[in-house]
Each structure stands twice: as structure tokens, then as C-alpha cells.
């Protein structure tokens, strides 16, 4: 089976969102990461850099996945969902036609470290009903192999001898999402032939096919059937796998549609209070 190699490296850049929350962001609304649109890393030991959180705001046309490494977040939305997630947990939101929600931080001794991923919806699903779900850490199956561990949030993940399916089975673009931890000197080989495969390193350094990927960089992998991850010093990595929609993308703030006219309609719907009805 052919090994996947790196065809592009993307560095995150500092940004902020919500009520002044400082983040590291990678985004591509031109289809270069299809079906993924944006990955935000929230991480700080200083409460003033994130405590304002994300007050109520709208979305249409995407799915969001929020995954907490440590700390926590409280979610509320106009559908009546109200819940909190802590270390190792995730929350998934299918915004469809529209949802208005807030995410407010909860801290632990090390502050807050979390990710939010935007996944594009196919055109046929952009005006579907909104839904929401929490996923707790103990629901996520794990693969282990000689110092390497994979926690599956969603999608199908496999080594040569074992396979697991993450609890999130309604991810757009047949997406798969996993958190990989590699001890010093460890190697983890996965069978993964999804057309889009991305590896975001958020701790340590990662080696893929002889190339080193440092922290806060995302590697886009070329075609192949297997992916071998190793680390001389130890690493933590977020893996994203999916199938591109191959559709036009029109983006404005929290709305992602296919045509500019659909964005204009989303803005009108939000202004007149019908976005989420």
C-alpha cells in the first residue's frame, strides 16, 4: 500500500473572535481544505485572553465541532440545548438553516485549551434543520500501538490489526476526526485513504515520510492508502479526514453558502429574525 506524503504545509496565524478571545487560526474558504473550512486553536493560561468567550451569535450552512483538551465550555442555543463539556469532551453542531448559540469558557488549573473546527455542508444540506450533540471522552474509542494512541471523535480509523469508529457518524463530507498522542520515539501507522487528509500538530514535532512538522502547523497529505506518524520528541496531533464536496463556496462571517445571493438572504433572515426558524 502506498504511503501518504506531505504536499503542503500551512502555518496558523494569530487572530481573535467572540469577545476578544485570542486564537491561532488556519482557514481556507477557497476549497483548498474541502470539506473543512477553518480550524481554531484556543489556548492560554491567562483568563483575560479567553474569558469573554463567544456570546450569542448565528451560523448557517456549516457544522462545527468543538473539542476540549483541558478546561471546558458551556453551550446554549435557541433550540433550548444547554450543556457543558470538559477535558477530552466534544460538542457537535449541525447549523443547517440556522442556529443562534453561545460558548462560554470554564477553566481548570491550566486555563483553557480547545479547538473549533468548521466543516462545510453540501448544498443540499445547507437549509436542513439544525441539531446539536455532546460527546463525552469515554464514548470515544481508542487505538494503541507502541507508544502511539488515537482517540476517535468521528469517522473510521484503522491500523494493520485493529479498527474503530468514532461516535460522531453524521459529520459532513464523510469526515473523520481523531486526536493522536505520540510518546517520544513512537510510531503509529494508519490505514487511511480519504481524499482529504490533514494533520495539525499542536504539541511537539511530528515526522511524516522524512519531513518534520512543527507545532501550530498543518500538513495536507497527498494521495495514498497508509499514513505513518512518528515523533523523536513526542507530539500531539489532530487528524482530519474527509471527502470534498467540490462545490462553490460563498463566505461571510458566520455564514457559508454556495452563492453570494444566498449570503444576502442569510443576512436578511438574521435581521428580520427568521434565520433560525
Amino acid at each position: 500500500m502506498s504511503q501518504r506524503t506531505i504536499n503542503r504545509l500551512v502555518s496558523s496565524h494569530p487572530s481573535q473572535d467572540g469577545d476578544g478571545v485570542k486564537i491561532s487560526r488556519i482557514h481556507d474558504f477557497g476549497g483548498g481544505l474541502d470539506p473543512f473550512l477553518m480550524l481554531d486553536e484556543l489556548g492560554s493560561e491567562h483568563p483575560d485572553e479567553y474569558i469573554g468567550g463567544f456570546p450569542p451569535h448565528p451560523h448557517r450552512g456549516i457544522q462545527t465541532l468543538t473539542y476540549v483538551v483541558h478546561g471546558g465550555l458551556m453551550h446554549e442555543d435557541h433550540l433550548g440545548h444547554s450543556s457543558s463539556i470538559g477535558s477530552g469532551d466534544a460538542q457537535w453542531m449541525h447549523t443547517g438553516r440556522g442556529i443562534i448559540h453561545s460558548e462560554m469558557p470554564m477553566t481548570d488549573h491550566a486555563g483553557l485549551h480547545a479547538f473549533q473546527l468548521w466543516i462545510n455542508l453540501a448544498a443540499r444540506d445547507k437549509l436542513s434543520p439544525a441539531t446539536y450533540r455532546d460527546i463525552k471522552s469515554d464514548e470515544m474509542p481508542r487505538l494503541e500501538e507502541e507508544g502511539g494512541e488515537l482517540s476517535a471523535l468521528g469517522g473510521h480509523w484503522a491500523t494493520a490489526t485493529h479498527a474503530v469508529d468514532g461516535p460522531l457518524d453524521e459529520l459532513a463530507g464523510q469526515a473523520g476526526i481523531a486526536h493522536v498522542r505520540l510518546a517520544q520515539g513512537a510510531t503509529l501507522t494508519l490505514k487511511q485513504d480519504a481524499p482529504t487528509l490533514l494533520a495539525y500538530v499542536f504539541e511537539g514535532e511530528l515526522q511524516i515520510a522524512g519531513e518534520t512538522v512543527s507545532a501550530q502547523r498543518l500538513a495536507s497529505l497527498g494521495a495514498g492508502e497508509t499514513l505513518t506518524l512518528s515523533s523523536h520528541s513526542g507530539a500531539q496531533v489532530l487528524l482530519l479526514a474527509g471527502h470534498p464536496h467540490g462545490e462553490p463556496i460563498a463566505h461571510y462571517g458566520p455564514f457559508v453558502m454556495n452563492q453570494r445571493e444566498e449570503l444576502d438572504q442569510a443576512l436578511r433572515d438574521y435581521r428580520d429574525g427568521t434565520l433560525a426558524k
Side-chain angles (χ1 to χ4, degrees), residues 15 44 50 80 87 125 163 213 218 246 253:
S15 185
S44 178
Y50 60 80
S87 299
D125 298 322
V213 186
L218 179 141

Side-chain angles (χ1 to χ4, degrees), residues 8 35 62 77 165 167 192 223 235 241:
R8 182 162 68 110
I62 60 172
D77 62 47
D165 292 287
Q192 181 55 262

Side-chain angles (χ1 to χ4, degrees), residues 19 50 74 182 224 233 249 270:
D19 187 13
Y50 60 80
M74 169 69 75
L182 294 174
S233 59
I249 297 171
Y270 183 56

Side-chain angles (χ1 to χ4, degrees), residues 3-10 197 199 201 206-214 217-223 227-229:
Q3 282 282 345
R4 305 186 75 145
T5 59
I6 297 171
N7 63 14
R8 182 162 68 110
L9 285 173
V10 182
L197 184 60
V201 181
L206 179 70
Q207 283 76 46
I208 300 175
E211 290 191 61
T212 295
V213 186
S214 56
R217 300 191 83 188
L218 179 141
S220 176
L221 286 307
L227 174 66
T228 298
L229 307 172

Side-chain angles (χ1 to χ4, degrees), residues 48-236:
D48 61 341
E49 295 186 347
Y50 60 80
I51 204 64
F54 303 91
H57 59 281
H59 286 292
R60 175 179 280 182
I62 60 172
Q63 292 181 350
T64 68
L65 178 77
T66 303
Y67 175 58
V68 175
V69 179
H70 60 71
L73 289 162
M74 169 69 75
H75 167 97
E76 292 184 345
D77 62 47
H78 84 283
L79 297 172
H81 300 118
S82 179
S83 61
S84 61
I85 57 172
S87 299
D89 301 337
Q91 57 189 24
W92 168 78
M93 193 169 66
H94 176 100
T95 74
R97 173 178 172 79
I99 197 166
I100 298 171
H101 81 127
S102 64
E103 288 179 298
M104 303 305 290
M106 304 181 296
T107 64
D108 61 18
H109 67 281
L112 176 68
H113 189 187
F115 295 92
Q116 184 170 95
L117 174 69
W118 285 19
I119 311 170
N120 199 15
L121 283 170
R124 65 178 181 274
D125 298 322
K126 285 190 177 292
L127 297 181
S128 58
T131 56
Y132 170 85
R133 180 183 173 188
D134 276 355
I135 307 94
K136 299 301 183 182
S137 177
D138 59 11
E139 298 178 62
M140 302 174 192
R142 289 166 171 77
L143 291 171
E144 296 185 12
E145 186 178 280
E146 297 181 4
E149 180 186 78
L150 179 148
S151 300
L153 285 71
H156 182 76
W157 301 93
T159 65
T161 56
H162 297 89
V164 295
D165 292 287
L168 280 172
D169 55 7
E170 297 181 80
L171 295 171
Q174 303 175 54
I177 301 167
H179 176 184
V180 172
R181 301 170 180 86
L182 294 174
Q184 182 177 353
T187 296
L188 179 66
T189 298
L190 301 169
K191 295 193 290 183
Q192 181 55 262
D193 61 359
T196 297
L197 184 60
L198 312 171
Y200 178 74
V201 181
F202 62 92
E203 182 178 293
E205 288 187 338
L206 179 70
Q207 283 76 46
I208 300 175
E211 290 191 61
T212 295
V213 186
S214 56
Q216 281 67 59
R217 300 191 83 188
L218 179 141
S220 176
L221 286 307
E225 297 170 302
T226 63
L227 174 66
T228 298
L229 307 172
S230 60
S231 180
H232 302 316
S233 59
Q236 294 198 67

